mmCIF file of all heavy atoms in Angstrom:
data_model
loop_
_atom_site.group_PDB
_atom_site.id
_atom_site.type_symbol
_atom_site.label_atom_id
_atom_site.label_comp_id
_atom_site.label_asym_id
_atom_site.label_seq_id
_atom_site.Cartn_x
_atom_site.Cartn_y
_atom_site.Cartn_z
ATOM 1 N N THR A 297 -25.845 -0.694 0.433
ATOM 2 C CA THR A 297 -26.108 -0.110 1.751
ATOM 3 C C THR A 297 -26.043 1.403 1.649
ATOM 4 O O THR A 297 -25.079 1.955 1.107
ATOM 5 C CB THR A 297 -25.069 -0.589 2.783
ATOM 6 O OG1 THR A 297 -25.140 -2.001 2.904
ATOM 7 C CG2 THR A 297 -25.321 0.054 4.143
ATOM 8 N N LEU A 298 -27.060 2.072 2.165
ATOM 9 C CA LEU A 298 -27.087 3.529 2.177
ATOM 10 C C LEU A 298 -26.519 4.025 3.507
ATOM 11 O O LEU A 298 -26.995 3.637 4.576
ATOM 12 C CB LEU A 298 -28.516 4.037 2.002
ATOM 13 C CG LEU A 298 -28.677 5.561 1.848
ATOM 14 C CD1 LEU A 298 -28.068 6.026 0.527
ATOM 15 C CD2 LEU A 298 -30.144 5.958 1.940
ATOM 16 N N VAL A 299 -25.491 4.860 3.424
ATOM 17 C CA VAL A 299 -24.920 5.497 4.607
ATOM 18 C C VAL A 299 -25.527 6.893 4.678
ATOM 19 O O VAL A 299 -25.332 7.709 3.775
ATOM 20 C CB VAL A 299 -23.380 5.582 4.521
ATOM 21 C CG1 VAL A 299 -22.805 6.102 5.835
ATOM 22 C CG2 VAL A 299 -22.784 4.222 4.176
ATOM 23 N N CYS A 300 -26.280 7.154 5.733
ATOM 24 C CA CYS A 300 -27.089 8.374 5.760
ATOM 25 C C CYS A 300 -27.178 8.936 7.178
ATOM 26 O O CYS A 300 -26.592 8.394 8.117
ATOM 27 C CB CYS A 300 -28.489 8.075 5.215
ATOM 28 S SG CYS A 300 -29.354 6.763 6.115
ATOM 29 N N ASP A 301 -27.919 9.999 7.311
ATOM 30 C CA ASP A 301 -28.107 10.627 8.610
ATOM 31 C C ASP A 301 -28.950 9.721 9.507
ATOM 32 O O ASP A 301 -29.829 8.994 9.035
ATOM 33 C CB ASP A 301 -28.793 11.973 8.442
ATOM 34 C CG ASP A 301 -28.602 12.876 9.643
ATOM 35 O OD1 ASP A 301 -27.464 13.315 9.866
ATOM 36 O OD2 ASP A 301 -29.590 13.132 10.345
ATOM 37 N N GLU A 302 -28.692 9.786 10.784
ATOM 38 C CA GLU A 302 -29.410 8.957 11.762
ATOM 39 C C GLU A 302 -30.924 9.152 11.679
ATOM 40 O O GLU A 302 -31.703 8.200 11.855
ATOM 41 C CB GLU A 302 -28.909 9.321 13.171
ATOM 42 C CG GLU A 302 -29.525 8.553 14.293
ATOM 43 C CD GLU A 302 -28.981 8.989 15.643
ATOM 44 O OE1 GLU A 302 -27.909 9.624 15.693
ATOM 45 O OE2 GLU A 302 -29.646 8.690 16.659
ATOM 46 N N ASP A 303 -31.360 10.370 11.351
ATOM 47 C CA ASP A 303 -32.796 10.665 11.284
ATOM 48 C C ASP A 303 -33.505 9.922 10.157
ATOM 49 O O ASP A 303 -34.728 9.803 10.159
ATOM 50 C CB ASP A 303 -33.016 12.170 11.102
ATOM 51 C CG ASP A 303 -32.540 12.970 12.305
ATOM 52 O OD1 ASP A 303 -32.404 12.364 13.390
ATOM 53 O OD2 ASP A 303 -32.296 14.178 12.154
ATOM 54 N N GLU A 304 -32.745 9.422 9.180
ATOM 55 C CA GLU A 304 -33.341 8.731 8.038
ATOM 56 C C GLU A 304 -33.496 7.227 8.277
ATOM 57 O O GLU A 304 -33.918 6.502 7.386
ATOM 58 C CB GLU A 304 -32.496 8.967 6.793
ATOM 59 C CG GLU A 304 -32.417 10.425 6.367
ATOM 60 C CD GLU A 304 -31.589 10.612 5.124
ATOM 61 O OE1 GLU A 304 -31.886 9.951 4.113
ATOM 62 O OE2 GLU A 304 -30.628 11.406 5.156
ATOM 63 N N ILE A 305 -33.140 6.782 9.474
ATOM 64 C CA ILE A 305 -33.262 5.364 9.802
ATOM 65 C C ILE A 305 -34.395 5.203 10.811
ATOM 66 O O ILE A 305 -34.323 5.702 11.935
ATOM 67 C CB ILE A 305 -31.941 4.818 10.393
ATOM 68 C CG1 ILE A 305 -30.802 5.012 9.381
ATOM 69 C CG2 ILE A 305 -32.082 3.342 10.754
ATOM 70 C CD1 ILE A 305 -29.440 4.612 9.907
ATOM 71 N N MET A 306 -35.444 4.509 10.409
ATOM 72 C CA MET A 306 -36.631 4.361 11.257
ATOM 73 C C MET A 306 -36.326 3.556 12.516
ATOM 74 O O MET A 306 -36.555 3.984 13.628
ATOM 75 C CB MET A 306 -37.754 3.688 10.460
ATOM 76 C CG MET A 306 -38.312 4.551 9.346
ATOM 77 S SD MET A 306 -39.288 5.943 9.957
ATOM 78 C CE MET A 306 -40.700 5.088 10.643
ATOM 79 N N GLU A 307 -35.812 2.341 12.327
ATOM 80 C CA GLU A 307 -35.498 1.456 13.446
ATOM 81 C C GLU A 307 -34.134 0.819 13.193
ATOM 82 O O GLU A 307 -33.789 0.498 12.057
ATOM 83 C CB GLU A 307 -36.543 0.346 13.581
ATOM 84 C CG GLU A 307 -37.919 0.823 14.030
ATOM 85 C CD GLU A 307 -37.963 1.202 15.502
ATOM 86 O OE1 GLU A 307 -37.058 0.781 16.241
ATOM 87 O OE2 GLU A 307 -38.901 1.911 15.896
ATOM 88 N N SER A 308 -33.382 0.630 14.242
ATOM 89 C CA SER A 308 -32.092 -0.044 14.101
ATOM 90 C C SER A 308 -31.811 -0.850 15.358
ATOM 91 O O SER A 308 -32.343 -0.565 16.431
ATOM 92 C CB SER A 308 -30.967 0.962 13.864
ATOM 93 O OG SER A 308 -30.839 1.827 14.982
ATOM 94 N N ASN A 309 -30.972 -1.867 15.211
ATOM 95 C CA ASN A 309 -30.560 -2.651 16.367
ATOM 96 C C ASN A 309 -29.698 -1.792 17.287
ATOM 97 O O ASN A 309 -29.096 -0.805 16.853
ATOM 98 C CB ASN A 309 -29.762 -3.876 15.920
ATOM 99 C CG ASN A 309 -30.620 -4.900 15.196
ATOM 100 O OD1 ASN A 309 -31.806 -5.030 15.474
ATOM 101 N ND2 ASN A 309 -30.017 -5.622 14.261
ATOM 102 N N VAL A 310 -29.648 -2.186 18.552
ATOM 103 C CA VAL A 310 -28.801 -1.466 19.502
ATOM 104 C C VAL A 310 -27.356 -1.488 19.025
ATOM 105 O O VAL A 310 -26.654 -0.477 19.037
ATOM 106 C CB VAL A 310 -28.906 -2.090 20.909
ATOM 107 C CG1 VAL A 310 -27.946 -1.390 21.870
ATOM 108 C CG2 VAL A 310 -30.334 -1.990 21.420
ATOM 109 N N VAL A 311 -26.912 -2.660 18.577
ATOM 110 C CA VAL A 311 -25.574 -2.810 18.003
ATOM 111 C C VAL A 311 -25.725 -2.990 16.494
ATOM 112 O O VAL A 311 -26.472 -3.853 16.040
ATOM 113 C CB VAL A 311 -24.830 -4.016 18.612
ATOM 114 C CG1 VAL A 311 -23.526 -4.289 17.867
ATOM 115 C CG2 VAL A 311 -24.553 -3.759 20.097
ATOM 116 N N ALA A 312 -25.022 -2.171 15.728
ATOM 117 C CA ALA A 312 -25.113 -2.251 14.267
ATOM 118 C C ALA A 312 -24.119 -3.246 13.695
ATOM 119 O O ALA A 312 -24.385 -3.887 12.676
ATOM 120 C CB ALA A 312 -24.871 -0.882 13.638
ATOM 121 N N GLY A 313 -22.947 -3.373 14.339
ATOM 122 C CA GLY A 313 -21.938 -4.253 13.769
ATOM 123 C C GLY A 313 -20.808 -4.558 14.737
ATOM 124 O O GLY A 313 -20.655 -3.901 15.775
#
Side-chain angles (χ1 to χ4, degrees):
T297 299
L298 186 67
V299 187
C300 57
D301 200 68
E302 181 181 342
D303 295 340
E304 297 181 54
I305 301 175
M306 292 289 292
E307 291 286 342
S308 63
N309 291 329
V310 176
V311 172

